[in-house]
Amino acid sequence: MRAFIFPGQSSQKVGMGAELAASSIAARDVFDEVDDTLRQHLSVLMREGPEDRLTLTENAQPAIMANAIATLRVLEHDFGVKLLEHANCVAGHSLGEYTALASVGAFGLADTALLLKLRGWSMQAAVPLGEGTMAVLLGADVEQAKALAEAAAQGEVCEVANDNDPSQVVISGHTGAIERAVALTKEHGIKRGMILNVSAPFHSSLMAPAAKRMAGALEETPPGALMLPLYANVTAAAVTDPAQITALLVEQITGRVRWRESVLAMRADGVESFVELGGKVVGPMVSRTDRDAQMTSLVTMKDLEAFAKEIA
């Protein structure tokens, strides 16, 4: 069995998608549709920068999605590798969950772009700049991270945001609490803590205003039927019911991304190989979670060609 998986924020970089667009009309069609939908030259920003504008959450989220869907479209249209013929399920990390849903027909491309534009803006606007942040804990498991977060909170929000793999957990919350947590890492047996260069405390209870906005947006633009199961971030379990997915997408804004558990659940359900489209971010997390899992990352035309030949 094979899972197609999709990256989340921090996988953006200037130049993303440029080679695909230069080589394939299928990729150009994706970028053009997203540009037209958002009434923004997002593809130019992706190709040329500046980096600080691309990194803005409201730009990064639809850009990462567009790049991943363009990668999938090139794989399908230029190399004849259809997702429905070669994948058994999908998953995505944080915003990548929307990309995964688009890949299996639950959302159209235009709706996905609009939802992610709103999601990015809403998450950025939920907390005044500087009042919240995130930190990555290296050499920490989720239980260590939870204990550290509780010790550092001191009446403020400090929560586990991403359980990425057995050696990497991300915490999120008020800036003071996160700074205290980083200072306490050694006392909790954690190798290292680093403040992340992010503009908001994603996947924490501080994102409640964004969750409320997205609940309204998803009520107006609900997901449709899925052609393959999705392993959801907040449950680490397979789901196909659109109504349940709507609730999970809202919960995901404030809830923990259970990526490590999602990988283990897919493995337990028989998935042997994972294919990351449009990045090399979640793939290494898969490999650190289960060294026996087969992992392929598809970013360049050369990657796509090699993968097509491999599974032919």
Side-chain angles (χ1 to χ4, degrees), residues 6 61 112 162 212 225 274 306:
F6 299 89
Q61 294 200 19
T112 310
N162 302 345
K212 185 176 181 180
F274 296 79

Side-chain angles (χ1 to χ4, degrees), residues 28-108:
R28 292 196 295 275
D29 285 347
V30 170
F31 298 134
D32 288 346
E33 184 175 348
V34 171
D35 282 356
D36 291 344
T37 298
L38 299 181
R39 298 180 181 180
Q40 175 186 5
H41 295 302
L42 185 64
S43 60
V44 176
L45 183 60
M46 293 164 64
R47 186 172 63 248
E48 301 176 4
E51 185 175 0
D52 59 345
R53 281 191 57 214
L54 178 60
T55 303
L56 288 174
T57 304
E58 64 179 273
N59 292 328
Q61 294 200 19
I64 292 164
M65 180 278 296
N67 185 57
I69 292 296
T71 306
L72 175 61
R73 295 276 179 87
V74 173
L75 183 64
E76 292 187 325
H77 292 281
D78 294 55
F79 295 100
V81 179
K82 308 295 185 184
L83 181 145
L84 291 181
E85 296 173 3
H86 295 280
N88 302 94
C89 59
V90 295
H93 190 282
S94 189
L95 79 90
E97 194 156 78
Y98 285 78
T99 316
L101 287 165
S103 77
V104 293
F107 291 121

Side-chain angles (χ1 to χ4, degrees), residues 11-31:
S11 60
Q12 75 278 355
K13 63 178 181 179
V14 174
M16 63 191 300
E19 184 202 13
L20 296 178
S23 305
S24 170
I25 191 170
R28 292 196 295 275
D29 285 347
V30 170
F31 298 134

Side-chain angles (χ1 to χ4, degrees), residues 181-220:
V182 169
L184 290 170
T185 50
K186 290 291 195 294
E187 293 181 24
H188 285 259
I190 296 169
K191 182 179 178 181
R192 188 180 180 191
M194 297 185 295
I195 300 289
L196 294 174
N197 183 24
V198 295
S199 53
F202 306 130
H203 299 293
S204 75
S205 54
L206 295 175
M207 291 286 105
K212 185 176 181 180
R213 285 194 180 96
M214 290 308 298
L218 288 163
E219 185 175 341
E220 293 180 4

Side-chain angles (χ1 to χ4, degrees), residues 49-274:
E51 185 175 0
D52 59 345
R53 281 191 57 214
L54 178 60
T55 303
L56 288 174
T57 304
E58 64 179 273
N59 292 328
Q61 294 200 19
I64 292 164
M65 180 278 296
N67 185 57
I69 292 296
T71 306
L72 175 61
R73 295 276 179 87
V74 173
L75 183 64
E76 292 187 325
H77 292 281
D78 294 55
F79 295 100
V81 179
K82 308 295 185 184
L83 181 145
L84 291 181
E85 296 173 3
H86 295 280
N88 302 94
C89 59
V90 295
H93 190 282
S94 189
L95 79 90
E97 194 156 78
Y98 285 78
T99 316
L101 287 165
S103 77
V104 293
F107 291 121
L109 178 59
D111 284 341
T112 310
L114 289 169
L115 286 168
L116 285 175
K117 187 75 172 178
L118 176 63
R119 183 179 183 271
W121 179 87
S122 299
M123 293 175 83
Q124 180 62 66
V127 178
L129 195 63
E131 290 190 11
T133 192
M134 304 175 78
V136 61
L137 306 177
L138 302 177
D141 61 31
V142 71
E143 294 305 321
Q144 287 175 300
K146 285 166 64 177
L148 173 64
E150 290 172 7
Q154 297 182 21
E156 293 187 310
V157 171
C158 188
E159 299 164 350
V160 175
N162 302 345
D163 178 10
N164 286 335
D165 63 50
S167 65
Q168 185 189 107
V169 180
V170 176
I171 56 174
S172 180
H174 285 111
T175 300
I178 298 301
E179 290 174 345
R180 287 192 294 272
V182 169
L184 290 170
T185 50
K186 290 291 195 294
E187 293 181 24
H188 285 259
I190 296 169
K191 182 179 178 181
R192 188 180 180 191
M194 297 185 295
I195 300 289
L196 294 174
N197 183 24
V198 295
S199 53
F202 306 130
H203 299 293
S204 75
S205 54
L206 295 175
M207 291 286 105
K212 185 176 181 180
R213 285 194 180 96
M214 290 308 298
L218 288 163
E219 185 175 341
E220 293 180 4
T221 310
L226 283 69
M227 295 182 288
L228 291 175
L230 168 83
Y231 279 75
N233 283 181
V234 296
T235 61
V239 59
T240 56
D241 177 52
Q244 186 180 359
I245 288 168
T246 297
L248 292 173
L249 288 174
V250 174
E251 185 180 349
Q252 186 224 65
I253 299 288
T254 56
R256 185 187 309 171
V257 175
R258 300 177 181 268
W259 187 254
R260 175 185 61 86
E261 293 174 76
S262 296
V263 172
L264 293 176
M266 285 184 272
R267 290 286 283 148
D269 290 343
V271 173
E272 296 178 341
S273 66
F274 296 79

